[in-house]
Short mmCIF file of all heavy atoms in Angstrom, two decimals:
data_model
loop_
_atom_site.label_atom_id
_atom_site.label_comp_id
_atom_site.label_asym_id
_atom_site.label_seq_id
_atom_site.Cartn_x
_atom_site.Cartn_y
_atom_site.Cartn_z
N GLY S 125 -0.31 -1.30 -15.84
CA GLY S 125 -0.59 -2.65 -15.37
C GLY S 125 -0.29 -2.88 -13.90
O GLY S 125 -0.56 -3.96 -13.38
N GLN S 126 0.25 -1.91 -13.22
CA GLN S 126 0.61 -2.05 -11.81
C GLN S 126 -0.56 -1.59 -10.93
O GLN S 126 -1.22 -0.60 -11.24
CB GLN S 126 1.84 -1.19 -11.52
CG GLN S 126 2.41 -1.36 -10.13
CD GLN S 126 3.63 -0.47 -9.91
OE1 GLN S 126 3.68 0.67 -10.34
NE2 GLN S 126 4.61 -1.03 -9.22
N ILE S 127 -0.78 -2.30 -9.83
CA ILE S 127 -1.81 -1.92 -8.86
C ILE S 127 -1.11 -1.59 -7.54
O ILE S 127 -0.51 -2.47 -6.93
CB ILE S 127 -2.83 -3.05 -8.65
CG1 ILE S 127 -3.51 -3.41 -9.95
CG2 ILE S 127 -3.85 -2.66 -7.58
CD1 ILE S 127 -4.37 -4.66 -9.87
N LEU S 128 -1.20 -0.33 -7.13
CA LEU S 128 -0.62 0.10 -5.87
C LEU S 128 -1.74 0.30 -4.86
O LEU S 128 -2.80 0.81 -5.19
CB LEU S 128 0.16 1.41 -6.05
CG LEU S 128 1.37 1.36 -6.96
CD1 LEU S 128 2.02 2.74 -7.04
CD2 LEU S 128 2.37 0.33 -6.50
N ILE S 129 -1.47 -0.13 -3.62
CA ILE S 129 -2.47 0.00 -2.55
C ILE S 129 -1.81 0.53 -1.29
O ILE S 129 -0.60 0.41 -1.08
CB ILE S 129 -3.17 -1.35 -2.27
CG1 ILE S 129 -2.17 -2.42 -1.83
CG2 ILE S 129 -3.98 -1.80 -3.47
CD1 ILE S 129 -2.80 -3.74 -1.41
N SER S 130 -2.63 1.10 -0.44
CA SER S 130 -2.16 1.64 0.84
C SER S 130 -2.01 0.51 1.86
O SER S 130 -2.44 -0.63 1.63
CB SER S 130 -3.17 2.66 1.38
OG SER S 130 -4.38 2.00 1.71
N GLN S 131 -1.42 0.84 2.98
CA GLN S 131 -1.25 -0.14 4.05
C GLN S 131 -2.60 -0.60 4.58
O GLN S 131 -2.79 -1.77 4.88
CB GLN S 131 -0.41 0.45 5.18
CG GLN S 131 -0.06 -0.55 6.26
CD GLN S 131 0.98 -0.02 7.22
OE1 GLN S 131 1.34 1.16 7.21
NE2 GLN S 131 1.50 -0.88 8.06
N GLU S 132 -3.56 0.32 4.66
CA GLU S 132 -4.90 -0.03 5.14
C GLU S 132 -5.55 -1.06 4.21
O GLU S 132 -6.14 -2.04 4.66
CB GLU S 132 -5.80 1.21 5.24
CG GLU S 132 -5.33 2.22 6.24
CD GLU S 132 -4.46 3.32 5.62
OE1 GLU S 132 -3.89 3.12 4.51
OE2 GLU S 132 -4.33 4.37 6.25
N THR S 133 -5.45 -0.82 2.92
CA THR S 133 -6.02 -1.75 1.94
C THR S 133 -5.27 -3.07 1.95
O THR S 133 -5.88 -4.14 1.83
CB THR S 133 -6.01 -1.12 0.54
OG1 THR S 133 -6.74 0.10 0.57
CG2 THR S 133 -6.62 -2.05 -0.49
N CYS S 134 -3.96 -3.02 2.12
CA CYS S 134 -3.15 -4.24 2.19
C CYS S 134 -3.67 -5.16 3.29
O CYS S 134 -3.80 -6.36 3.10
CB CYS S 134 -1.70 -3.86 2.42
SG CYS S 134 -0.58 -5.27 2.53
N TYR S 135 -3.98 -4.58 4.43
CA TYR S 135 -4.50 -5.35 5.56
C TYR S 135 -5.83 -6.03 5.18
O TYR S 135 -6.07 -7.18 5.52
CB TYR S 135 -4.68 -4.44 6.77
CG TYR S 135 -5.34 -5.12 7.94
CD1 TYR S 135 -4.64 -6.03 8.73
CD2 TYR S 135 -6.67 -4.88 8.25
CE1 TYR S 135 -5.23 -6.67 9.79
CE2 TYR S 135 -7.28 -5.51 9.32
CZ TYR S 135 -6.56 -6.41 10.08
OH TYR S 135 -7.17 -7.05 11.13
N LEU S 136 -6.68 -5.31 4.45
CA LEU S 136 -8.00 -5.85 4.09
C LEU S 136 -7.94 -6.95 3.04
O LEU S 136 -8.81 -7.81 3.01
CB LEU S 136 -8.91 -4.72 3.59
CG LEU S 136 -9.34 -3.70 4.64
CD1 LEU S 136 -10.08 -2.56 3.98
CD2 LEU S 136 -10.20 -4.37 5.70
N VAL S 137 -6.93 -6.93 2.18
CA VAL S 137 -6.87 -7.91 1.09
C VAL S 137 -5.87 -9.03 1.35
O VAL S 137 -5.64 -9.87 0.47
CB VAL S 137 -6.57 -7.24 -0.27
CG1 VAL S 137 -7.61 -6.19 -0.61
CG2 VAL S 137 -5.16 -6.67 -0.32
N GLN S 138 -5.28 -9.10 2.53
CA GLN S 138 -4.21 -10.07 2.79
C GLN S 138 -4.63 -11.52 2.56
O GLN S 138 -3.78 -12.36 2.26
CB GLN S 138 -3.64 -9.87 4.19
CG GLN S 138 -4.61 -10.15 5.31
CD GLN S 138 -4.02 -9.83 6.66
OE1 GLN S 138 -2.82 -9.59 6.80
NE2 GLN S 138 -4.87 -9.80 7.68
N ASP S 139 -5.91 -11.84 2.70
CA ASP S 139 -6.37 -13.21 2.46
C ASP S 139 -6.69 -13.47 1.00
O ASP S 139 -7.00 -14.60 0.63
CB ASP S 139 -7.62 -13.51 3.30
CG ASP S 139 -7.32 -13.51 4.80
OD1 ASP S 139 -6.16 -13.76 5.18
OD2 ASP S 139 -8.26 -13.27 5.58
N TYR S 140 -6.64 -12.44 0.17
CA TYR S 140 -7.08 -12.55 -1.21
C TYR S 140 -5.99 -12.24 -2.23
O TYR S 140 -6.15 -12.50 -3.42
CB TYR S 140 -8.26 -11.61 -1.48
CG TYR S 140 -9.37 -11.81 -0.50
CD1 TYR S 140 -9.53 -10.98 0.61
CD2 TYR S 140 -10.27 -12.87 -0.64
CE1 TYR S 140 -10.55 -11.17 1.52
CE2 TYR S 140 -11.29 -13.07 0.27
CZ TYR S 140 -11.42 -12.22 1.35
OH TYR S 140 -12.43 -12.42 2.25
N ALA S 141 -4.88 -11.66 -1.77
CA ALA S 141 -3.85 -11.23 -2.71
C ALA S 141 -2.46 -11.31 -2.10
O ALA S 141 -2.29 -11.15 -0.90
CB ALA S 141 -4.12 -9.80 -3.16
N GLU S 142 -1.49 -11.57 -2.97
CA GLU S 142 -0.09 -11.49 -2.58
C GLU S 142 0.39 -10.09 -2.92
O GLU S 142 0.15 -9.60 -4.03
CB GLU S 142 0.73 -12.52 -3.35
CG GLU S 142 2.21 -12.49 -3.06
CD GLU S 142 2.99 -13.48 -3.90
OE1 GLU S 142 2.41 -14.50 -4.32
OE2 GLU S 142 4.18 -13.21 -4.15
N VAL S 143 1.02 -9.44 -1.96
CA VAL S 143 1.51 -8.08 -2.18
C VAL S 143 2.99 -8.01 -1.84
O VAL S 143 3.51 -8.86 -1.11
CB VAL S 143 0.72 -7.04 -1.35
CG1 VAL S 143 -0.75 -7.08 -1.70
CG2 VAL S 143 0.93 -7.25 0.13
N GLN S 144 3.65 -6.99 -2.37
CA GLN S 144 5.03 -6.73 -1.98
C GLN S 144 5.20 -5.24 -1.77
O GLN S 144 4.57 -4.42 -2.45
CB GLN S 144 6.03 -7.25 -3.01
CG GLN S 144 6.06 -6.53 -4.32
CD GLN S 144 7.05 -7.14 -5.29
OE1 GLN S 144 7.25 -8.36 -5.30
NE2 GLN S 144 7.68 -6.33 -6.10
N SER S 145 6.03 -4.91 -0.82
CA SER S 145 6.26 -3.51 -0.48
C SER S 145 7.03 -2.83 -1.60
O SER S 145 7.97 -3.40 -2.17
CB SER S 145 7.05 -3.42 0.82
OG SER S 145 7.40 -2.07 1.07
N VAL S 146 6.64 -1.60 -1.91
CA VAL S 146 7.42 -0.78 -2.83
C VAL S 146 8.10 0.35 -2.06
O VAL S 146 8.68 1.25 -2.64
CB VAL S 146 6.57 -0.23 -4.00
CG1 VAL S 146 6.05 -1.34 -4.86
CG2 VAL S 146 5.44 0.65 -3.51
N GLY S 147 7.99 0.29 -0.73
CA GLY S 147 8.62 1.28 0.13
C GLY S 147 7.65 2.37 0.54
O GLY S 147 6.46 2.30 0.27
N ASP S 148 8.19 3.37 1.18
CA ASP S 148 7.39 4.51 1.61
C ASP S 148 7.38 5.55 0.50
O ASP S 148 8.44 5.87 -0.06
CB ASP S 148 7.95 5.13 2.88
CG ASP S 148 7.75 4.27 4.11
OD1 ASP S 148 7.12 3.20 3.98
OD2 ASP S 148 8.21 4.66 5.19
N LEU S 149 6.21 6.05 0.17
CA LEU S 149 6.08 7.09 -0.85
C LEU S 149 5.42 8.32 -0.24
O LEU S 149 4.53 8.21 0.60
CB LEU S 149 5.23 6.60 -2.02
CG LEU S 149 5.75 5.44 -2.85
CD1 LEU S 149 4.76 5.10 -3.97
CD2 LEU S 149 7.11 5.78 -3.45
N LEU S 150 5.87 9.47 -0.69
CA LEU S 150 5.23 10.73 -0.32
C LEU S 150 4.26 11.08 -1.43
O LEU S 150 4.67 11.32 -2.56
CB LEU S 150 6.25 11.85 -0.14
CG LEU S 150 5.69 13.21 0.24
CD1 LEU S 150 4.96 13.13 1.58
CD2 LEU S 150 6.79 14.25 0.31
N LEU S 151 2.98 11.05 -1.11
CA LEU S 151 1.96 11.33 -2.10
C LEU S 151 1.61 12.81 -2.07
O LEU S 151 1.62 13.45 -1.02
CB LEU S 151 0.71 10.49 -1.81
CG LEU S 151 0.91 8.98 -1.78
CD1 LEU S 151 -0.37 8.28 -1.36
CD2 LEU S 151 1.39 8.47 -3.13
N LYS S 152 1.30 13.35 -3.22
CA LYS S 152 0.93 14.75 -3.34
C LYS S 152 -0.21 15.08 -2.37
O LYS S 152 -1.17 14.33 -2.26
CB LYS S 152 0.50 15.05 -4.77
CG LYS S 152 0.15 16.48 -5.04
CD LYS S 152 -0.22 16.67 -6.49
CE LYS S 152 -0.68 18.09 -6.74
NZ LYS S 152 -1.08 18.28 -8.14
N GLY S 153 -0.06 16.18 -1.65
CA GLY S 153 -1.08 16.59 -0.71
C GLY S 153 -0.94 15.98 0.68
O GLY S 153 -1.68 16.34 1.58
N GLN S 154 0.01 15.07 0.87
CA GLN S 154 0.23 14.45 2.17
C GLN S 154 1.45 15.08 2.83
O GLN S 154 2.38 15.50 2.16
CB GLN S 154 0.46 12.94 2.02
CG GLN S 154 -0.66 12.19 1.34
CD GLN S 154 -1.92 12.14 2.20
OE1 GLN S 154 -1.85 12.00 3.40
NE2 GLN S 154 -3.06 12.25 1.55
N SER S 155 1.45 15.14 4.17
CA SER S 155 2.56 15.77 4.88
C SER S 155 3.72 14.81 5.17
O SER S 155 4.82 15.26 5.43
CB SER S 155 2.06 16.38 6.19
OG SER S 155 1.48 15.38 7.01
N GLN S 156 3.45 13.50 5.12
CA GLN S 156 4.52 12.54 5.36
C GLN S 156 4.33 11.31 4.48
O GLN S 156 3.24 10.99 4.06
CB GLN S 156 4.60 12.16 6.83
CG GLN S 156 3.33 11.63 7.43
CD GLN S 156 3.47 11.48 8.94
OE1 GLN S 156 4.54 11.61 9.51
NE2 GLN S 156 2.37 11.17 9.60
N SER S 157 5.44 10.62 4.24
CA SER S 157 5.38 9.43 3.40
C SER S 157 4.70 8.29 4.15
O SER S 157 4.59 8.32 5.38
CB SER S 157 6.79 9.02 2.96
OG SER S 157 7.59 8.72 4.07
N GLU S 158 4.22 7.32 3.39
CA GLU S 158 3.55 6.17 4.00
C GLU S 158 3.84 4.92 3.20
O GLU S 158 4.18 4.98 2.01
CB GLU S 158 2.06 6.41 4.10
CG GLU S 158 1.36 6.65 2.79
CD GLU S 158 -0.11 6.96 3.01
OE1 GLU S 158 -0.43 8.13 3.20
OE2 GLU S 158 -0.90 6.02 2.98
N PRO S 159 3.72 3.74 3.84
CA PRO S 159 4.00 2.48 3.14
C PRO S 159 3.02 2.25 2.00
O PRO S 159 1.82 2.49 2.14
CB PRO S 159 3.81 1.42 4.23
CG PRO S 159 3.80 2.14 5.52
CD PRO S 159 3.35 3.53 5.24
N VAL S 160 3.56 1.79 0.88
CA VAL S 160 2.75 1.48 -0.30
C VAL S 160 3.12 0.08 -0.76
O VAL S 160 4.29 -0.34 -0.67
CB VAL S 160 2.99 2.51 -1.42
CG1 VAL S 160 2.26 2.13 -2.70
CG2 VAL S 160 2.56 3.89 -0.96
N TYR S 161 2.13 -0.66 -1.25
CA TYR S 161 2.32 -2.04 -1.67
C TYR S 161 1.82 -2.23 -3.09
O TYR S 161 0.90 -1.54 -3.53
CB TYR S 161 1.56 -2.99 -0.73
CG TYR S 161 2.04 -2.87 0.70
CD1 TYR S 161 1.51 -1.91 1.55
CD2 TYR S 161 3.03 -3.69 1.18
CE1 TYR S 161 1.96 -1.77 2.85
CE2 TYR S 161 3.49 -3.57 2.48
CZ TYR S 161 2.95 -2.61 3.31
OH TYR S 161 3.40 -2.46 4.60
N GLU S 162 2.42 -3.20 -3.78
CA GLU S 162 1.97 -3.58 -5.11
C GLU S 162 1.29 -4.94 -5.04
O GLU S 162 1.82 -5.87 -4.41
CB GLU S 162 3.17 -3.68 -6.06
CG GLU S 162 2.78 -4.14 -7.45
CD GLU S 162 3.96 -4.28 -8.38
OE1 GLU S 162 5.12 -4.18 -7.93
OE2 GLU S 162 3.72 -4.51 -9.57
#
């Protein structure tokens, strides 16, 4: 039931959705962690 989005997507939906940070996550296949939002 949880929807996680990237920082880029967060910027695009800011007028349509309330989001909260879940912190920086290191995703498989990525070299560094990045901000993720719910």
Side-chain angles (χ1 to χ4, degrees):
Q126 186 180 40
I127 301 171
L128 296 180
I129 60 175
S130 67
Q131 186 169 10
E132 296 94 340
T133 302
C134 180
Y135 175 75
L136 292 173
V137 302
Q138 65 185 348
D139 294 335
Y140 307 99
E142 178 183 334
V143 301
Q144 69 181 34
S145 174
V146 296
D148 289 357
L149 296 180
L150 180 60
L151 302 175
K152 183 178 175 182
Q154 302 291 322
S155 59
Q156 55 188 352
S157 61
E158 60 183 87
V160 174
Y161 300 86
E162 177 182 8

